[in-house]
Amino acid sequence: MSSVQELAVFLPHLLSAPLLPLAILAVAVLALSTLAAADTTVQERLQQRQKEESGEAVALTRLHAIGFGFVASVGLLAMWMWSNVIIYMSLFTFGLGSFVSIQQCMPGIMKRMGLGPGQPWHHATIAGLFVVSWFWHRNSSHSWIFQDILGGFTITLMLGVLKASSMSSPTLLLLTAFVYDIFFVFVTPYLTTSGESIMEAAATGAAMTVKEQIPMLFRIPSFSPGGGEAILGFGDVVLPGILVTFLKECDARLEEDQSPAGLASLIGAQHPSQILPTPFVAKKSWWRKRWSYHLTAILGFTAGLELTFIAMMWSNKGQPALLYLVPCTLLPVVMLASKRHELSLLWNGWGELEGEAMLLNMDEDSDHVEQGNEEALSETMDRKQMPVPLVLPSEITV
């Protein structure tokens, strides 16, 4: 059979269940969770910094990215060697994490539904019903419904807690995970006596003798006569999601009135070119109508997921999803940023938030001016006339 004939036979299966439903689920969770987790305003970013200082959130660093490989390897080996014990720890952790995640997300969901933020006991009741339903039906044929719903909430919370201040740390994290995934899928079969992949054995629970299922997976049942399930680990969404969340925040920063044209007007510059290098200056329409980094990364993630399915169906074996997701998510973003001369800005981030605090204070001063406070007006005008040294791309300071 020629390669063209093989492709013609193969392509219809690419869109058959369960691969298409799994792809839709993964992309939808990535898009919605990153939109919910991204801090797109100055006030939200200041609140996020306060959470990091209080320990409620974690600012991802390069050390975290490198350490991921070691921590994930230890956890995977433990799951493979002592799966009958670790599985119950995983069930407890997943249930508790899902309960907290739903509680955190419910105020926003209820507001969007026009019900107001609700009361804490409302959130706890709804979260408890979801978690108890999942736990009660966790070994039934329809348990995947509850597991996938709880997984979406859990990923949203994780992306809200794990934040990157520059593109360098999530990129290093993805590259570390890229090597980790390849090693435990393709290399470990040559190191185990049974010739099995440690990653696949741990994910499917092949070594377990108890009747339980791994909870940290998206699962979609097959509607084909052969049965079975398609699975995708939460990590295959969370790790790219950290980068995608950061890119959504980058889009918001670049579109804010304060940067760069708004900042230029605040300090009395006639044009952004007076305070910014040429690559960072653009026409007004360029800031308002531009192809976003967030959408670019999501489309790249979708393409990588399709390549994973293609490789899985051609080889008839499980594939390390990050082998395809990492380059497909990263490379389009890098190419777009390079074309716009913004790669250095994204890679190093915006630095500390003192510049944003300054802008926020100026906005508050403007409110006093509107109220007729002549003293505030005088102070604001003096502040606008002060020389503002600007350092790009790392920080804006007064």
Side-chain angles (χ1 to χ4, degrees):
M1 184 181 294
S2 67
S3 58
V4 175
Q5 290 175 322
E6 290 177 352
L7 188 61
V9 171
F10 167 75
L11 283 179
H13 294 284
L14 182 62
L15 301 179
S16 66
L19 298 183
L20 183 59
L22 181 62
I24 294 174
L25 173 65
V27 174
V29 169
L30 178 71
L32 295 176
S33 61
T34 53
L35 286 173
D39 300 317
T40 55
T41 65
V42 174
Q43 186 64 43
E44 288 176 350
R45 288 192 286 271
L46 291 172
Q47 291 175 353
Q48 179 66 22
R49 178 56 59 89
Q50 292 173 356
K51 290 181 180 179
E52 292 172 1
E53 293 175 350
S54 64
E56 298 178 28
V58 177
L60 186 69
T61 64
R62 297 178 186 179
L63 182 60
H64 292 142
I66 297 174
F68 162 81
F70 174 76
V71 174
S73 299
V74 171
L76 184 64
L77 289 173
M79 188 68 197
W80 177 62
M81 298 172 64
W82 304 294
S83 55
N84 287 341
V85 177
I86 301 297
I87 182 62
Y88 292 106
M89 297 174 60
S90 299
L91 292 172
F92 174 78
T93 303
F94 178 67
L96 180 60
S98 299
F99 181 83
V100 175
S101 302
I102 297 175
Q103 274 192 309
Q104 296 288 332
C105 295
M106 283 312 301
I109 294 175
M110 294 179 69
K111 283 182 179 180
R112 291 181 179 276
M113 295 175 64
L115 302 175
Q119 299 296 325
W121 70 269
H122 294 153
H123 312 149
T125 301
I126 295 172
L129 288 174
F130 271 107
V131 173
V132 170
S133 298
W134 160 76
F135 186 80
W136 185 262
H137 298 283
R138 69 186 187 280
N139 292 319
S140 66
S141 60
H142 55 274
S143 62
W144 61 273
I145 300 175
F146 298 102
Q147 184 167 315
D148 291 348
I149 292 174
L150 297 186
F153 281 109
T154 301
I155 288 175
T156 301
L157 177 64
M158 294 178 68
L159 294 180
V161 172
L162 297 172
K163 286 298 188 69
S165 59
S166 69
M167 188 175 168
S168 59
S169 52
T171 299
L172 184 57
L173 176 64
L174 285 175
L175 294 177
T176 303
F178 177 83
V179 176
Y180 158 85
D181 224 15
I182 293 174
F183 176 81
F184 279 101
V185 173
F186 289 148
V187 178
T188 53
Y190 298 100
L191 305 178
T192 58
T193 55
S194 60
E196 65 180 350
S197 162
I198 291 180
M199 177 72 76
E200 191 170 356
T204 58
M208 288 192 303
T209 58
V210 295
K211 189 182 177 182
E212 296 290 352
Q213 301 185 53
I214 305 297
M216 280 75 169
L217 298 168
F218 286 116
R219 296 163 46 214
I220 294 288
S222 175
F223 302 104
S224 61
E229 287 184 334
I231 61 175
L232 184 70
F234 289 169
D236 296 327
V237 179
V238 171
L239 297 178
I242 295 174
L243 173 66
V244 179
T245 301
F246 168 74
L247 294 174
K248 177 59 181 176
E249 295 174 349
C250 288
D251 290 328
R253 285 174 180 258
L254 293 171
E255 291 171 1
E256 285 172 356
D257 292 336
Q258 296 96 336
S259 176
L263 179 60
S265 63
L266 281 174
I267 65 175
Q270 297 297 320
H271 190 269
S273 60
Q274 293 181 275
I275 61 169
L276 293 174
T278 301
F280 296 97
V281 179
K283 296 179 180 179
K284 186 176 182 180
S285 60
W286 187 85
W287 291 102
R288 292 184 176 179
K289 299 178 181 180
R290 50 182 277 143
W291 185 264
S292 71
Y293 291 112
H294 181 251
L295 182 57
T296 300
I298 290 178
L299 292 177
F301 177 88
T302 305
L305 205 56
E306 284 298 305
L307 288 178
T308 305
F309 293 157
I310 292 173
M312 183 178 66
M313 297 182 71
W314 274 105
S315 64
N316 199 27
K317 294 180 180 179
Q319 295 291 316
L322 293 175
L323 170 63
Y324 310 95
L325 293 176
V326 170
C328 287
T329 305
L330 268 177
L331 291 179
V333 173
V334 171
M335 293 172 63
L336 180 61
S338 298
K339 182 178 179 181
R340 292 175 172 175
H341 304 284
E342 293 175 346
L343 183 57
S344 177
L345 179 63
L346 267 61
W347 184 260
N348 296 305
W350 275 259
E352 300 297 326
L353 294 181
E354 285 80 6
E356 293 184 334
M358 174 197 70
L359 295 174
L360 194 61
N361 290 335
M362 287 184 175
D363 291 338
E364 293 175 353
D365 288 342
S366 298
D367 293 337
H368 291 304
V369 171
E370 292 177 0
Q371 296 173 5
N373 190 326
E374 296 180 357
E375 182 179 354
L377 175 61
S378 176
E379 292 176 357
T380 303
M381 296 302 295
D382 292 341
R383 188 177 305 176
K384 288 183 178 181
Q385 295 173 1
M386 291 175 61
V388 180
L390 186 64
V391 181
L392 284 175
S394 59
E395 65 178 67
I396 301 176
T397 59
V398 175

